[in-house]
Amino acid sequence: MHNTYANKKPSLFLLVVIFYIVTSVGALLLGLLQPSIGIPEIVIQLTQFGPAIGAAVVLFLWRHKNRSLFTLDMRLWPLPVNRIIISAALIAFTFVGAWLWYTLTDHSVTYTPPSSLSHPFWLIVIAQFIGAAGEEIGWRCFLQPTLQQRMGVLPASIVVGILWGIWHVGVFSEGIMYASSFILFAVSLSVILGELMRNIRGGTLLLAAAYHALINLGLLLWFNEEDGSRLAMGTLSITCTMAAIIAVVVGQIIRSKKRSTNRTYRTTHI
């Protein structure tokens, strides 16, 4: 008997719902499994591999037909060096902006020296990248390109950001203000990543995972947002939103100039 789901032509909505359910259930089960394995959460959180499981299940269910319904972009090469430089600048803007606001409002940034962590920092860096890649396989390599081929980059980035933010269900235990700030933070990050990955020829997974991991490391070392600090989460969400706006506006300006140049070229070569 053929797989029922494989023989049906699913709607995009159904595909996203199945991906999201499997991602959430997979993350929950991995979270329950982690204590028994003994892997410390400060090194890596197994829940981060939930989105990769979600993408794998969707690919399996519709492996025979309707492959045009979804996109899986895991190209590793060529690595877009210019986008990496822009990524570093946007990350620096996000954290420096948050630090400046703390300074202007007489608040102190909670700095955690790498040497004081319970595990070697180099191990945490490697594990954070692996964990971020586990998430980004689902969010940015699967869901983002699948949605954006139907609704455009910016709307797709916003939808992915909302789903990504709500997926971190634990933030709701800190109250609605904290959760709202976190979701805004997630949407802003998603918009930035959507712009950075727009029209690149390779390096999608590496770029997304690196950006994600660096943000996580910055949060680990410089801010106490995981302690439920609304100031920390609110500040970071605002500075990240500003970085997202800059990324979108600059991207639009660059694309507009390229279109203008192309029109001029075609006109002068008729």
Side-chain angles (χ1 to χ4, degrees), residues 29-263:
L29 294 177
L30 289 172
L32 295 174
L33 178 65
Q34 181 152 0
S36 63
I37 297 178
I39 299 176
E41 290 191 358
I42 192 174
V43 175
I44 191 171
Q45 295 183 1
L46 296 183
T47 55
Q48 291 181 283
F49 295 96
I53 295 174
V57 168
V58 170
L59 291 171
F60 175 78
L61 291 178
W62 286 286
R63 65 191 182 279
H64 298 303
K65 294 184 178 181
N66 307 312
R67 290 293 299 271
S68 62
L69 183 68
F70 54 81
T71 301
L72 182 66
D73 185 359
M74 290 180 60
R75 295 171 294 173
L76 300 178
W77 194 262
L79 195 62
V81 178
N82 60 329
R83 306 291 176 99
I84 293 175
I85 295 173
I86 295 171
S87 297
L90 290 171
I91 292 172
F93 176 89
T94 299
F95 285 103
V96 171
W99 175 79
L100 286 174
W101 177 251
Y102 265 57
T103 302
L104 292 173
T105 56
D106 293 325
H107 291 91
S108 58
V109 175
T110 303
Y111 173 66
T112 303
S115 59
S116 69
L117 297 173
S118 57
H119 293 79
F121 187 59
W122 64 265
L123 175 63
I124 293 175
V125 171
I126 294 173
Q128 285 292 327
F129 179 83
I130 294 172
E135 280 198 49
E136 296 304 336
I137 287 173
W139 300 122
R140 242 65 57 176
C141 294
F142 170 73
L143 190 58
Q144 172 76 25
T146 295
L147 292 178
Q148 76 181 31
Q149 67 179 341
R150 291 164 176 80
M151 62 177 65
V153 175
L154 182 57
S157 298
I158 293 173
V159 172
V160 172
I162 293 172
L163 295 176
W164 185 32
I166 295 174
W167 177 70
H168 292 82
V169 66
V171 301
F172 291 95
S173 65
E174 303 294 346
I176 189 64
M177 289 298 296
Y178 182 93
S180 299
S181 295
F182 181 85
I183 292 172
L184 176 60
F185 183 58
V187 170
S188 300
L189 283 174
S190 186
V191 168
I192 290 171
L193 288 170
E195 286 297 316
L196 288 173
M197 296 188 302
R198 184 192 289 262
N199 299 326
I200 63 173
R201 294 179 298 167
T204 303
L205 178 58
L206 295 177
L207 180 61
Y211 200 102
H212 189 157
L214 288 173
I215 288 291
N216 284 347
L217 289 169
L219 297 177
L220 174 65
L221 297 179
W222 281 293
F223 287 90
N224 62 339
E225 86 297 335
E226 288 194 359
D227 295 335
S229 171
R230 288 182 293 178
L231 173 65
M233 196 69 259
T235 301
L236 288 165
S237 67
I238 291 172
T239 55
C240 193
T241 298
M242 294 170 63
I245 292 172
I246 291 172
V248 171
V249 171
V250 171
Q252 289 178 341
I253 292 173
I254 292 174
R255 289 190 297 275
S256 178
K257 287 184 177 180
K258 285 184 178 180
R259 287 194 295 268
S260 178
T261 300
N262 290 337
R263 284 196 297 268

